[in-house]
Amino acid sequence: KLWYLVACCYVLFHWNACIYFYFSLIQGIENAEPTDFIFGYTKVFDVVISDCPIFMNDIESCIYNESSADNRDMYISQMLTHWSPKSHLLEFTNFSKEYTMSLYWSALTITACGQQPWPANSAQNILEVVDTIFGVFVFATILGLIGSVVSSFNEERTEYQTMLDRAKFYMKYRKVNKKLQSRAQNILKYSYEHNQLDDEKETLSCLPPRLEGMLGVHVHMTTLTKARLFERCDYGFLYDLVLKLRQQLYSPGDFICQKGERAQAMYIVKKGECVVVDDRRSLPTKKLTEGSSFGELSIVHVPGLSSETRDLALKALGYADVYCLSRDDVSLVLQDYPEERIKLMEQARMLYHAEQEENQTVNDDDGIMETLSFDDKVSKIKEYLKDIEKNIDEAYNDFTTSATKMKKRVTDLEAITKARKKLKRNFSLNSSF
């Protein structure tokens, strides 16, 4: 808004300067004096730059002795002759003089910030009055816009600060650990700096449904079409599907989805970077950049192929904007497009077989080992041994935990047995009496 205000002021000053110069041409600028209201070339002089070495202890040669009692017009020629070899003239074109002087007059008149030569006739008086009245409205508008900018900024800042204070108070009251508090504050700060505190659906809810859909298509269609699952789908189906996308923001280190959870949605990275994590084999992770998708087969149920749980996890490397599309939303849209279900299932099968072939290539240890050098083979074997040791440690820990629990249960059972025998003995003694 500030740059917009500056641009508007410059345009107003420019057009007013053009009017002033055109008015001066009508009045006649050839014989204009410096004290005249209209533009005159005698009002704008070329710049004279002194070459006198005043810092070289030669000040005397730079001084022209003149008496204040004398009229300077009497010796002006001698003074110019004295300074001529000790200076050089920086000349400007007539256009530069005309434009700068006219713009200067326009700015001073509109803002009423300086003195101007008095008008000398009725036409000049009219121009001065009209410009002054126009300047009052412009000045009032400028102040109003500046006040609006400052007020808007303060309102947004106050709202953000209030929300941040509420979050801090809540976390402090609930005794949340410092690390988690810092992460929550950082993501609030990131959302505020990137204008993501407002919900996208809520912001567009005031628009007609058709216009809201057009905006959604303009923003998200490119992202959705990058997913391989929707390469063969019709535009109408994608149009309705775009409206079901939900934006989610994740901070560095957040898991977007965990390994082993139910696979009910796919994710499209809109901004930022994410990484695919395979905890079971600890293989090198796959990085997802902007436009990449994850879990495409989760939204289409293909008998015999679809899995109800995730084999991999998705983690955000930094702040990441991710769009989520759930299976329920896709099924709801497919009710109106039954022919698209067949296309999606065929595309899902193709993607599944492609992933299987890729995994087979990656997991083909014999083929890989044959192509590796001796050092790489040793490194690969070390990785396998490290994985085996890790699995053994996990199994040993599980066994130790189970054995400890079993031992505790046996001890508790022996204590219960002794207590039962003691109760039975006491009951027998009481019966004999």
PDB file of all heavy atoms in Angstrom, residues 246 256-267 294-295 297-299 301 306-314 324-328 331:
ATOM      1  N   ARG A 246      -7.597 -30.024   1.138  1.00  0.00           N
ATOM      2  CA  ARG A 246      -7.466 -29.330   2.418  1.00  0.00           C
ATOM      3  C   ARG A 246      -5.997 -28.999   2.658  1.00  0.00           C
ATOM      4  O   ARG A 246      -5.138 -29.881   2.561  1.00  0.00           O
ATOM      5  CB  ARG A 246      -7.995 -30.174   3.570  1.00  0.00           C
ATOM      6  CG  ARG A 246      -9.463 -30.532   3.454  1.00  0.00           C
ATOM      7  CD  ARG A 246      -9.988 -31.104   4.758  1.00  0.00           C
ATOM      8  NE  ARG A 246      -9.141 -32.158   5.262  1.00  0.00           N
ATOM      9  CZ  ARG A 246      -9.226 -33.439   4.919  1.00  0.00           C
ATOM     10  NH1 ARG A 246     -10.144 -33.817   4.049  1.00  0.00           N
ATOM     11  NH2 ARG A 246      -8.428 -34.346   5.439  1.00  0.00           N
ATOM     12  N   ILE A 256       3.939 -36.225   8.810  1.00  0.00           N
ATOM     13  CA  ILE A 256       2.666 -35.996   8.137  1.00  0.00           C
ATOM     14  C   ILE A 256       1.794 -37.234   8.236  1.00  0.00           C
ATOM     15  O   ILE A 256       0.585 -37.143   8.446  1.00  0.00           O
ATOM     16  CB  ILE A 256       2.913 -35.606   6.670  1.00  0.00           C
ATOM     17  CG1 ILE A 256       3.757 -34.317   6.615  1.00  0.00           C
ATOM     18  CG2 ILE A 256       1.599 -35.410   5.920  1.00  0.00           C
ATOM     19  CD1 ILE A 256       4.192 -33.928   5.230  1.00  0.00           C
ATOM     20  N   CYS A 257       2.392 -38.382   8.089  1.00  0.00           N
ATOM     21  CA  CYS A 257       1.707 -39.651   8.321  1.00  0.00           C
ATOM     22  C   CYS A 257       2.723 -40.651   8.862  1.00  0.00           C
ATOM     23  O   CYS A 257       3.906 -40.593   8.512  1.00  0.00           O
ATOM     24  CB  CYS A 257       1.020 -40.166   7.056  1.00  0.00           C
ATOM     25  SG  CYS A 257       2.149 -40.481   5.672  1.00  0.00           S
ATOM     26  N   GLN A 258       2.270 -41.545   9.710  1.00  0.00           N
ATOM     27  CA  GLN A 258       3.142 -42.507  10.365  1.00  0.00           C
ATOM     28  C   GLN A 258       3.052 -43.876   9.702  1.00  0.00           C
ATOM     29  O   GLN A 258       2.038 -44.230   9.085  1.00  0.00           O
ATOM     30  CB  GLN A 258       2.767 -42.641  11.845  1.00  0.00           C
ATOM     31  CG  GLN A 258       2.998 -41.392  12.679  1.00  0.00           C
ATOM     32  CD  GLN A 258       4.435 -41.255  13.109  1.00  0.00           C
ATOM     33  OE1 GLN A 258       5.284 -42.058  12.738  1.00  0.00           O
ATOM     34  NE2 GLN A 258       4.716 -40.217  13.909  1.00  0.00           N
ATOM     35  N   LYS A 259       4.120 -44.620   9.842  1.00  0.00           N
ATOM     36  CA  LYS A 259       4.134 -45.995   9.341  1.00  0.00           C
ATOM     37  C   LYS A 259       3.198 -46.847  10.195  1.00  0.00           C
ATOM     38  O   LYS A 259       3.207 -46.780  11.427  1.00  0.00           O
ATOM     39  CB  LYS A 259       5.555 -46.533   9.397  1.00  0.00           C
ATOM     40  CG  LYS A 259       5.673 -48.001   9.017  1.00  0.00           C
ATOM     41  CD  LYS A 259       7.086 -48.482   9.210  1.00  0.00           C
ATOM     42  CE  LYS A 259       7.192 -49.974   8.965  1.00  0.00           C
ATOM     43  NZ  LYS A 259       8.557 -50.475   9.196  1.00  0.00           N
ATOM     44  N   GLY A 260       2.369 -47.672   9.536  1.00  0.00           N
ATOM     45  CA  GLY A 260       1.456 -48.552  10.240  1.00  0.00           C
ATOM     46  C   GLY A 260       0.071 -47.986  10.455  1.00  0.00           C
ATOM     47  O   GLY A 260      -0.839 -48.740  10.833  1.00  0.00           O
ATOM     48  N   GLU A 261      -0.153 -46.693  10.220  1.00  0.00           N
ATOM     49  CA  GLU A 261      -1.483 -46.127  10.399  1.00  0.00           C
ATOM     50  C   GLU A 261      -2.354 -46.430   9.187  1.00  0.00           C
ATOM     51  O   GLU A 261      -1.868 -46.841   8.133  1.00  0.00           O
ATOM     52  CB  GLU A 261      -1.397 -44.623  10.629  1.00  0.00           C
ATOM     53  CG  GLU A 261      -0.983 -43.831   9.414  1.00  0.00           C
ATOM     54  CD  GLU A 261      -0.955 -42.341   9.654  1.00  0.00           C
ATOM     55  OE1 GLU A 261      -0.969 -41.924  10.836  1.00  0.00           O
ATOM     56  OE2 GLU A 261      -0.919 -41.580   8.672  1.00  0.00           O
ATOM     57  N   ARG A 262      -3.644 -46.218   9.324  1.00  0.00           N
ATOM     58  CA  ARG A 262      -4.569 -46.504   8.229  1.00  0.00           C
ATOM     59  C   ARG A 262      -4.322 -45.546   7.067  1.00  0.00           C
ATOM     60  O   ARG A 262      -4.165 -44.345   7.245  1.00  0.00           O
ATOM     61  CB  ARG A 262      -6.017 -46.372   8.705  1.00  0.00           C
ATOM     62  CG  ARG A 262      -6.433 -47.419   9.730  1.00  0.00           C
ATOM     63  CD  ARG A 262      -7.922 -47.378   9.958  1.00  0.00           C
ATOM     64  NE  ARG A 262      -8.633 -47.705   8.717  1.00  0.00           N
ATOM     65  CZ  ARG A 262      -9.959 -47.577   8.579  1.00  0.00           C
ATOM     66  NH1 ARG A 262     -10.694 -47.103   9.571  1.00  0.00           N
ATOM     67  NH2 ARG A 262     -10.532 -47.895   7.433  1.00  0.00           N
ATOM     68  N   ALA A 263      -4.286 -46.108   5.871  1.00  0.00           N
ATOM     69  CA  ALA A 263      -4.040 -45.313   4.666  1.00  0.00           C
ATOM     70  C   ALA A 263      -5.377 -44.852   4.113  1.00  0.00           C
ATOM     71  O   ALA A 263      -6.065 -45.591   3.399  1.00  0.00           O
ATOM     72  CB  ALA A 263      -3.286 -46.150   3.628  1.00  0.00           C
ATOM     73  N   GLN A 264      -5.740 -43.601   4.447  1.00  0.00           N
ATOM     74  CA  GLN A 264      -7.033 -43.078   4.044  1.00  0.00           C
ATOM     75  C   GLN A 264      -6.927 -41.766   3.270  1.00  0.00           C
ATOM     76  O   GLN A 264      -7.942 -41.143   2.989  1.00  0.00           O
ATOM     77  CB  GLN A 264      -7.908 -42.849   5.293  1.00  0.00           C
ATOM     78  CG  GLN A 264      -8.282 -44.114   6.035  1.00  0.00           C
ATOM     79  CD  GLN A 264      -9.254 -44.977   5.251  1.00  0.00           C
ATOM     80  OE1 GLN A 264     -10.104 -44.458   4.529  1.00  0.00           O
ATOM     81  NE2 GLN A 264      -9.133 -46.279   5.376  1.00  0.00           N
ATOM     82  N   ALA A 265      -5.710 -41.335   2.926  1.00  0.00           N
ATOM     83  CA  ALA A 265      -5.558 -40.046   2.246  1.00  0.00           C
ATOM     84  C   ALA A 265      -4.245 -40.021   1.482  1.00  0.00           C
ATOM     85  O   ALA A 265      -3.310 -40.773   1.783  1.00  0.00           O
ATOM     86  CB  ALA A 265      -5.611 -38.896   3.253  1.00  0.00           C
ATOM     87  N   MET A 266      -4.191 -39.154   0.478  1.00  0.00           N
ATOM     88  CA  MET A 266      -2.953 -38.882  -0.246  1.00  0.00           C
ATOM     89  C   MET A 266      -2.531 -37.439   0.036  1.00  0.00           C
ATOM     90  O   MET A 266      -3.347 -36.596   0.417  1.00  0.00           O
ATOM     91  CB  MET A 266      -3.120 -39.089  -1.749  1.00  0.00           C
ATOM     92  CG  MET A 266      -4.014 -38.084  -2.431  1.00  0.00           C
ATOM     93  SD  MET A 266      -3.956 -38.190  -4.240  1.00  0.00           S
ATOM     94  CE  MET A 266      -2.304 -37.586  -4.561  1.00  0.00           C
ATOM     95  N   TYR A 267      -1.236 -37.162  -0.164  1.00  0.00           N
ATOM     96  CA  TYR A 267      -0.694 -35.848   0.172  1.00  0.00           C
ATOM     97  C   TYR A 267       0.075 -35.306  -1.036  1.00  0.00           C
ATOM     98  O   TYR A 267       0.802 -36.048  -1.694  1.00  0.00           O
ATOM     99  CB  TYR A 267       0.231 -35.935   1.387  1.00  0.00           C
ATOM    100  CG  TYR A 267      -0.449 -36.494   2.619  1.00  0.00           C
ATOM    101  CD1 TYR A 267      -0.368 -37.850   2.927  1.00  0.00           C
ATOM    102  CD2 TYR A 267      -1.185 -35.666   3.461  1.00  0.00           C
ATOM    103  CE1 TYR A 267      -1.004 -38.355   4.042  1.00  0.00           C
ATOM    104  CE2 TYR A 267      -1.817 -36.163   4.585  1.00  0.00           C
ATOM    105  CZ  TYR A 267      -1.719 -37.516   4.868  1.00  0.00           C
ATOM    106  OH  TYR A 267      -2.348 -38.019   5.979  1.00  0.00           O
ATOM    107  N   PHE A 294       2.308 -38.233  -2.481  1.00  0.00           N
ATOM    108  CA  PHE A 294       2.616 -39.403  -1.656  1.00  0.00           C
ATOM    109  C   PHE A 294       1.311 -40.093  -1.286  1.00  0.00           C
ATOM    110  O   PHE A 294       0.326 -39.446  -0.922  1.00  0.00           O
ATOM    111  CB  PHE A 294       3.352 -38.977  -0.384  1.00  0.00           C
ATOM    112  CG  PHE A 294       3.628 -40.103   0.573  1.00  0.00           C
ATOM    113  CD1 PHE A 294       4.712 -40.945   0.370  1.00  0.00           C
ATOM    114  CD2 PHE A 294       2.809 -40.322   1.664  1.00  0.00           C
ATOM    115  CE1 PHE A 294       4.962 -41.997   1.247  1.00  0.00           C
ATOM    116  CE2 PHE A 294       3.058 -41.359   2.535  1.00  0.00           C
ATOM    117  CZ  PHE A 294       4.144 -42.194   2.332  1.00  0.00           C
ATOM    118  N   GLY A 295       1.319 -41.435  -1.383  1.00  0.00           N
ATOM    119  CA  GLY A 295       0.152 -42.217  -0.977  1.00  0.00           C
ATOM    120  C   GLY A 295      -1.001 -42.150  -1.949  1.00  0.00           C
ATOM    121  O   GLY A 295      -2.163 -42.112  -1.531  1.00  0.00           O
ATOM    122  N   LEU A 297      -2.167 -44.397  -3.954  1.00  0.00           N
ATOM    123  CA  LEU A 297      -2.998 -45.595  -3.969  1.00  0.00           C
ATOM    124  C   LEU A 297      -3.894 -45.693  -2.746  1.00  0.00           C
ATOM    125  O   LEU A 297      -4.726 -46.602  -2.657  1.00  0.00           O
ATOM    126  CB  LEU A 297      -2.097 -46.846  -4.033  1.00  0.00           C
ATOM    127  CG  LEU A 297      -1.184 -46.945  -5.265  1.00  0.00           C
ATOM    128  CD1 LEU A 297      -0.369 -48.227  -5.208  1.00  0.00           C
ATOM    129  CD2 LEU A 297      -1.996 -46.896  -6.539  1.00  0.00           C
ATOM    130  N   SER A 298      -3.757 -44.765  -1.795  1.00  0.00           N
ATOM    131  CA  SER A 298      -4.565 -44.824  -0.580  1.00  0.00           C
ATOM    132  C   SER A 298      -5.994 -44.361  -0.804  1.00  0.00           C
ATOM    133  O   SER A 298      -6.885 -44.707  -0.023  1.00  0.00           O
ATOM    134  CB  SER A 298      -3.924 -43.964   0.517  1.00  0.00           C
ATOM    135  OG  SER A 298      -2.597 -44.372   0.771  1.00  0.00           O
ATOM    136  N   ILE A 299      -6.243 -43.575  -1.850  1.00  0.00           N
ATOM    137  CA  ILE A 299      -7.575 -43.013  -2.037  1.00  0.00           C
ATOM    138  C   ILE A 299      -8.428 -43.852  -2.983  1.00  0.00           C
ATOM    139  O   ILE A 299      -9.603 -43.543  -3.170  1.00  0.00           O
ATOM    140  CB  ILE A 299      -7.471 -41.573  -2.581  1.00  0.00           C
ATOM    141  CG1 ILE A 299      -6.778 -41.548  -3.932  1.00  0.00           C
ATOM    142  CG2 ILE A 299      -6.736 -40.683  -1.600  1.00  0.00           C
ATOM    143  CD1 ILE A 299      -6.778 -40.189  -4.590  1.00  0.00           C
ATOM    144  N   HIS A 301      -9.564 -47.838  -3.693  1.00  0.00           N
ATOM    145  CA  HIS A 301      -9.518 -49.216  -3.206  1.00  0.00           C
ATOM    146  C   HIS A 301      -9.536 -50.170  -4.398  1.00  0.00           C
ATOM    147  O   HIS A 301     -10.528 -50.281  -5.120  1.00  0.00           O
ATOM    148  CB  HIS A 301     -10.710 -49.498  -2.292  1.00  0.00           C
ATOM    149  CG  HIS A 301     -10.724 -50.913  -1.778  1.00  0.00           C
ATOM    150  ND1 HIS A 301      -9.811 -51.387  -0.856  1.00  0.00           N
ATOM    151  CD2 HIS A 301     -11.531 -51.956  -2.085  1.00  0.00           C
ATOM    152  CE1 HIS A 301     -10.058 -52.649  -0.594  1.00  0.00           C
ATOM    153  NE2 HIS A 301     -11.095 -53.033  -1.337  1.00  0.00           N
ATOM    154  N   SER A 306      -4.707 -52.799  -2.891  1.00  0.00           N
ATOM    155  CA  SER A 306      -4.685 -51.729  -1.900  1.00  0.00           C
ATOM    156  C   SER A 306      -4.402 -52.279  -0.514  1.00  0.00           C
ATOM    157  O   SER A 306      -4.885 -53.356  -0.133  1.00  0.00           O
ATOM    158  CB  SER A 306      -6.018 -50.979  -1.894  1.00  0.00           C
ATOM    159  OG  SER A 306      -6.257 -50.414  -3.162  1.00  0.00           O
ATOM    160  N   SER A 307      -3.623 -51.549   0.229  1.00  0.00           N
ATOM    161  CA  SER A 307      -3.291 -51.900   1.605  1.00  0.00           C
ATOM    162  C   SER A 307      -3.974 -50.921   2.543  1.00  0.00           C
ATOM    163  O   SER A 307      -4.058 -49.729   2.261  1.00  0.00           O
ATOM    164  CB  SER A 307      -1.774 -51.865   1.822  1.00  0.00           C
ATOM    165  OG  SER A 307      -1.459 -52.119   3.173  1.00  0.00           O
ATOM    166  N   GLU A 308      -4.467 -51.433   3.657  1.00  0.00           N
ATOM    167  CA  GLU A 308      -5.162 -50.587   4.613  1.00  0.00           C
ATOM    168  C   GLU A 308      -4.212 -49.854   5.539  1.00  0.00           C
ATOM    169  O   GLU A 308      -4.627 -48.957   6.265  1.00  0.00           O
ATOM    170  CB  GLU A 308      -6.147 -51.428   5.438  1.00  0.00           C
ATOM    171  CG  GLU A 308      -7.300 -51.999   4.632  1.00  0.00           C
ATOM    172  CD  GLU A 308      -8.155 -50.899   4.002  1.00  0.00           C
ATOM    173  OE1 GLU A 308      -8.328 -49.852   4.658  1.00  0.00           O
ATOM    174  OE2 GLU A 308      -8.644 -51.082   2.884  1.00  0.00           O
ATOM    175  N   THR A 309      -2.950 -50.231   5.578  1.00  0.00           N
ATOM    176  CA  THR A 309      -1.966 -49.566   6.434  1.00  0.00           C
ATOM    177  C   THR A 309      -0.795 -49.075   5.584  1.00  0.00           C
ATOM    178  O   THR A 309      -0.535 -49.601   4.495  1.00  0.00           O
ATOM    179  CB  THR A 309      -1.440 -50.532   7.516  1.00  0.00           C
ATOM    180  OG1 THR A 309      -0.850 -51.669   6.882  1.00  0.00           O
ATOM    181  CG2 THR A 309      -2.564 -50.977   8.430  1.00  0.00           C
ATOM    182  N   ARG A 310      -0.098 -48.105   6.093  1.00  0.00           N
ATOM    183  CA  ARG A 310       1.025 -47.514   5.375  1.00  0.00           C
ATOM    184  C   ARG A 310       2.309 -48.266   5.684  1.00  0.00           C
ATOM    185  O   ARG A 310       2.594 -48.588   6.844  1.00  0.00           O
ATOM    186  CB  ARG A 310       1.186 -46.045   5.740  1.00  0.00           C
ATOM    187  CG  ARG A 310      -0.011 -45.195   5.353  1.00  0.00           C
ATOM    188  CD  ARG A 310       0.331 -43.720   5.445  1.00  0.00           C
ATOM    189  NE  ARG A 310      -0.831 -42.878   5.162  1.00  0.00           N
ATOM    190  CZ  ARG A 310      -1.232 -42.530   3.960  1.00  0.00           C
ATOM    191  NH1 ARG A 310      -0.566 -42.950   2.891  1.00  0.00           N
ATOM    192  NH2 ARG A 310      -2.296 -41.770   3.783  1.00  0.00           N
ATOM    193  N   ASP A 311       3.083 -48.535   4.642  1.00  0.00           N
ATOM    194  CA  ASP A 311       4.384 -49.176   4.792  1.00  0.00           C
ATOM    195  C   ASP A 311       5.499 -48.168   5.003  1.00  0.00           C
ATOM    196  O   ASP A 311       6.609 -48.540   5.398  1.00  0.00           O
ATOM    197  CB  ASP A 311       4.701 -50.023   3.556  1.00  0.00           C
ATOM    198  CG  ASP A 311       3.699 -51.154   3.374  1.00  0.00           C
ATOM    199  OD1 ASP A 311       3.177 -51.634   4.399  1.00  0.00           O
ATOM    200  OD2 ASP A 311       3.438 -51.539   2.216  1.00  0.00           O
ATOM    201  N   LEU A 312       5.243 -46.894   4.693  1.00  0.00           N
ATOM    202  CA  LEU A 312       6.251 -45.850   4.818  1.00  0.00           C
ATOM    203  C   LEU A 312       5.669 -44.668   5.585  1.00  0.00           C
ATOM    204  O   LEU A 312       4.456 -44.519   5.704  1.00  0.00           O
ATOM    205  CB  LEU A 312       6.721 -45.376   3.436  1.00  0.00           C
ATOM    206  CG  LEU A 312       7.329 -46.447   2.515  1.00  0.00           C
ATOM    207  CD1 LEU A 312       7.538 -45.870   1.125  1.00  0.00           C
ATOM    208  CD2 LEU A 312       8.638 -46.965   3.074  1.00  0.00           C
ATOM    209  N   ALA A 313       6.563 -43.851   6.103  1.00  0.00           N
ATOM    210  CA  ALA A 313       6.166 -42.628   6.805  1.00  0.00           C
ATOM    211  C   ALA A 313       6.619 -41.416   6.006  1.00  0.00           C
ATOM    212  O   ALA A 313       7.589 -41.479   5.254  1.00  0.00           O
ATOM    213  CB  ALA A 313       6.760 -42.603   8.209  1.00  0.00           C
ATOM    214  N   LEU A 314       5.920 -40.309   6.175  1.00  0.00           N
ATOM    215  CA  LEU A 314       6.250 -39.065   5.498  1.00  0.00           C
ATOM    216  C   LEU A 314       6.544 -37.999   6.544  1.00  0.00           C
ATOM    217  O   LEU A 314       5.736 -37.787   7.450  1.00  0.00           O
ATOM    218  CB  LEU A 314       5.101 -38.620   4.593  1.00  0.00           C
ATOM    219  CG  LEU A 314       5.364 -37.397   3.706  1.00  0.00           C
ATOM    220  CD1 LEU A 314       6.500 -37.677   2.733  1.00  0.00           C
ATOM    221  CD2 LEU A 314       4.101 -36.989   2.946  1.00  0.00           C
ATOM    222  N   CYS A 324      -4.059 -32.194   1.407  1.00  0.00           N
ATOM    223  CA  CYS A 324      -4.525 -33.548   1.732  1.00  0.00           C
ATOM    224  C   CYS A 324      -5.827 -33.815   0.981  1.00  0.00           C
ATOM    225  O   CYS A 324      -6.715 -32.959   0.920  1.00  0.00           O
ATOM    226  CB  CYS A 324      -4.727 -33.665   3.242  1.00  0.00           C
ATOM    227  SG  CYS A 324      -5.452 -35.235   3.766  1.00  0.00           S
ATOM    228  N   LEU A 325      -5.937 -35.012   0.417  1.00  0.00           N
ATOM    229  CA  LEU A 325      -7.144 -35.456  -0.281  1.00  0.00           C
ATOM    230  C   LEU A 325      -7.522 -36.820   0.277  1.00  0.00           C
ATOM    231  O   LEU A 325      -6.773 -37.795   0.118  1.00  0.00           O
ATOM    232  CB  LEU A 325      -6.900 -35.536  -1.793  1.00  0.00           C
ATOM    233  CG  LEU A 325      -8.088 -35.912  -2.661  1.00  0.00           C
ATOM    234  CD1 LEU A 325      -9.208 -34.888  -2.536  1.00  0.00           C
ATOM    235  CD2 LEU A 325      -7.671 -36.057  -4.123  1.00  0.00           C
ATOM    236  N   SER A 326      -8.658 -36.915   0.951  1.00  0.00           N
ATOM    237  CA  SER A 326      -9.052 -38.150   1.630  1.00  0.00           C
ATOM    238  C   SER A 326      -9.802 -39.083   0.693  1.00  0.00           C
ATOM    239  O   SER A 326     -10.364 -38.667  -0.328  1.00  0.00           O
ATOM    240  CB  SER A 326      -9.919 -37.838   2.851  1.00  0.00           C
ATOM    241  OG  SER A 326     -11.151 -37.271   2.446  1.00  0.00           O
ATOM    242  N   ARG A 327      -9.824 -40.368   1.071  1.00  0.00           N
ATOM    243  CA  ARG A 327     -10.526 -41.380   0.274  1.00  0.00           C
ATOM    244  C   ARG A 327     -12.032 -41.140   0.297  1.00  0.00           C
ATOM    245  O   ARG A 327     -12.727 -41.345  -0.714  1.00  0.00           O
ATOM    246  CB  ARG A 327     -10.223 -42.775   0.819  1.00  0.00           C
ATOM    247  CG  ARG A 327     -10.930 -43.890   0.066  1.00  0.00           C
ATOM    248  CD  ARG A 327     -10.758 -45.235   0.732  1.00  0.00           C
ATOM    249  NE  ARG A 327      -9.371 -45.666   0.706  1.00  0.00           N
ATOM    250  CZ  ARG A 327      -8.967 -46.850   1.189  1.00  0.00           C
ATOM    251  NH1 ARG A 327      -9.854 -47.690   1.719  1.00  0.00           N
ATOM    252  NH2 ARG A 327      -7.689 -47.184   1.149  1.00  0.00           N
ATOM    253  N   ASP A 328     -12.575 -40.683   1.438  1.00  0.00           N
ATOM    254  CA  ASP A 328     -14.023 -40.446   1.528  1.00  0.00           C
ATOM    255  C   ASP A 328     -14.454 -39.341   0.570  1.00  0.00           C
ATOM    256  O   ASP A 328     -15.507 -39.441  -0.076  1.00  0.00           O
ATOM    257  CB  ASP A 328     -14.395 -40.072   2.967  1.00  0.00           C
ATOM    258  CG  ASP A 328     -14.154 -41.221   3.937  1.00  0.00           C
ATOM    259  OD1 ASP A 328     -14.150 -42.387   3.475  1.00  0.00           O
ATOM    260  OD2 ASP A 328     -13.964 -40.954   5.136  1.00  0.00           O
ATOM    261  N   SER A 331     -14.417 -40.736  -2.975  1.00  0.00           N
ATOM    262  CA  SER A 331     -15.578 -41.622  -3.189  1.00  0.00           C
ATOM    263  C   SER A 331     -16.854 -40.811  -3.378  1.00  0.00           C
ATOM    264  O   SER A 331     -17.719 -41.176  -4.185  1.00  0.00           O
ATOM    265  CB  SER A 331     -15.720 -42.568  -1.997  1.00  0.00           C
ATOM    266  OG  SER A 331     -14.562 -43.370  -1.846  1.00  0.00           O
TER     267      SER A 331
END
